Amino acid sequence: MGSLGPDSDSSEKEIHVLVTGFGEFGENKTNPSFFIAQSLPNTLARSNLPPIIIHAHSTPIVVAYSYVRDLIPKLLFSHDGTRALSSDAQAVHVSRHPLSEAPRDYPNYDLVLNIGMAPGRSFYTLETLAHRDGYTRADTKNQTLDHDTFWRDIYGAPEILHTTFDTEDVWRRWKCSLMSEDLRPSSNAGHYLCDFTYYASMLEYWRRDNEKRRPCMFLHVPGGYGEDDVLKGKEVALGLIAACVESEVARDTGQKAMGGEKAVAHDFGDEGLS
């Protein structure tokens, strides 16, 4: 597997990207995030980047806290005590590692992109952080995590986790590639399943590698699910994947994206977010 870490020669290695989308919730019976994820091609080729292999998770993430808490560890890492690989992760792992190799606790993907829905918005947001607590809104199983302390007690996890991508640099590169689209950085992923899934993904890296590397990103898309909406979402998602990889490849050489406005992450509120 390739690596986006600064010590790797990523120019010669494939970069494997996991992309997920969500299922229905509340009044939102059709969630465009899953359709966008499924519309992505298997590969993404850019002249200045290593080969990018995209693995779209085959089923929508159920909008339920217990489902996410069980799924994410199995999906992102190959071995974690008694946990078994998900079928998707197993296929990725077996295709690249000898069967004789002893189980090790390393990531299945170089980049994780979760896509979620933001009903009522007309713009796309790159989420810069996720929260451990505050999940008082009932999920599709009518469960909340009010007063839940599992992550704090078991792992000593911090209240907030930030992606280790340079979000300002990523945003500039993303915006430069899609000048006609309304793309914004955000500091509030919603205190619901989008926020929870983003935190759960980053936590799996944090609890193994602490402050070193959390190659996760979250994209909120508008609620439209027509053919044109999905097509636009597809291009936006591909642009974000490319921007993340490009930013990491350039990081070690100090090649920051130049020009443009400063990326300021705003709190757009959490009402209606998945």
Side-chain angles (χ1 to χ4, degrees):
M1 183 186 295
S3 174
L4 294 177
D7 297 327
S8 65
D9 182 10
S10 56
S11 63
E12 298 180 359
K13 299 179 180 178
E14 294 177 341
I15 303 299
H16 290 263
V17 181
L18 171 68
V19 183
T20 69
F22 288 88
E24 65 179 66
F25 67 100
E27 298 178 352
N28 305 288
K29 301 303 181 184
T30 302
N31 195 324
S33 67
F34 180 66
F35 294 116
I36 291 170
Q38 293 298 300
S39 75
L40 299 179
N42 294 327
T43 60
L44 174 60
R46 297 289 170 94
S47 60
N48 60 331
L49 297 177
I52 299 172
I53 312 301
I54 297 174
H55 306 269
H57 188 48
S58 57
T59 58
I61 291 181
V62 177
V63 182
Y65 300 113
S66 60
Y67 180 90
V68 169
R69 184 169 272 172
D70 179 67
L71 172 69
I72 293 299
K74 294 186 289 189
L75 188 59
L76 300 192
F77 279 80
S78 300
H79 181 72
D80 186 19
T82 60
R83 290 195 178 103
L85 286 173
S86 69
S87 57
D88 283 5
Q90 178 74 30
V92 173
H93 175 77
V94 170
S95 70
R96 291 197 303 279
H97 299 288
L99 294 179
S100 59
E101 187 173 90
R104 287 162 44 198
D105 201 17
Y106 48 71
N108 291 313
Y109 306 98
D110 302 298
L111 190 164
V112 177
L113 175 63
N114 304 125
I115 305 176
M117 171 187 180
R121 289 186 187 172
S122 60
F123 53 91
Y124 299 85
T125 53
L126 171 165
E127 300 296 342
T128 61
L129 58 86
H131 302 88
R132 181 191 66 194
D133 308 319
Y135 298 99
T136 59
R137 183 179 170 193
D139 61 18
T140 57
K141 296 184 178 181
N142 202 33
Q143 301 296 312
T144 75
L145 291 183
D146 199 12
H147 307 301
D148 180 88
T149 60
F150 177 80
W151 281 336
R152 183 191 70 191
D153 295 345
I154 300 300
Y155 302 127
E159 291 184 21
I160 292 175
L161 282 174
H162 293 261
T163 176
T164 50
F165 284 112
D166 182 338
T167 52
E168 180 164 344
D169 187 64
V170 168
W171 179 80
R172 286 176 182 271
R173 294 175 186 276
W174 188 35
K175 183 64 176 174
C176 285
S177 71
L178 295 160
M179 294 297 293
S180 64
E181 301 298 341
D182 190 351
L183 313 175
R184 309 182 191 183
S186 165
S187 61
N188 185 355
H191 285 94
Y192 194 44
L193 264 297
C194 287
D195 203 340
F196 187 76
T197 302
Y198 195 19
Y199 190 95
S201 298
M202 288 194 284
L203 176 68
E204 291 307 306
Y205 289 89
W206 178 88
R207 70 187 184 90
R208 293 168 170 84
D209 209 14
N210 206 288
E211 293 301 315
K212 293 183 180 179
R213 188 167 175 268
R214 293 182 294 282
C216 305
M217 183 56 67
F218 199 102
L219 170 65
H220 263 123
V221 302
Y225 52 85
E227 184 177 348
D228 290 343
D229 300 307
V230 173
L231 181 61
K232 182 185 291 188
K234 172 185 175 181
E235 295 308 311
V236 167
L238 289 174
L240 182 54
I241 291 170
C244 287
V245 175
E246 187 177 80
S247 180
E248 286 297 287
V249 169
R251 177 183 288 194
D252 197 36
T253 60
Q255 298 176 5
K256 294 285 187 178
M258 303 300 292
E261 60 186 291
K262 182 176 178 60
V264 179
H266 294 283
D267 182 342
F268 296 106
D270 53 16
E271 184 174 355
L273 299 183
S274 63

